[in-house]
């Protein structure tokens, strides 16, 4: 069995060490968060991962 541990991508909140506890507030990925997501997608077979 292979295990992957992934963290969510960077947001403008996480970049400033802030935490959002309100699930109704939309917190989007930062530009760096989008780039890291693309790197992860190309290096880890995320399309075949089952949880």
């Amino acid at each position: 069995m292979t295990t992957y541990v992934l963290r969510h991508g960077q947001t403008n909140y996480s970049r400033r060490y802030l935490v959002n506890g309100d699930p109704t507030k939309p917190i989007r990925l930062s530009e760096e968060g989008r780039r890291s997501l693309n790197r992860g997608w190309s290096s880890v077979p995320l399309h075949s991962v089952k949880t």
Side-chain angles (χ1 to χ4, degrees):
M1 173 174 63
T2 301
T3 301
Y4 298 100
V5 178
L6 303 173
R7 186 180 184 274
H8 64 79
Q10 182 189 72
T11 66
N12 289 329
Y13 258 52
S14 64
R15 187 180 66 193
R16 298 183 321 206
Y17 301 102
L18 298 174
V19 177
N20 174 36
D22 182 358
T24 64
K25 186 172 184 169
I27 304 296
R28 307 281 185 234
L29 291 175
S30 65
E31 192 61 38
E32 174 56 34
R34 286 189 284 281
R35 282 193 298 270
S36 65
L37 177 65
N38 287 332
R39 285 191 303 269
W41 185 259
S42 64
S43 62
V44 177
L46 298 176
H47 57 279
S48 64
V49 171
K50 293 181 175 47
T51 60

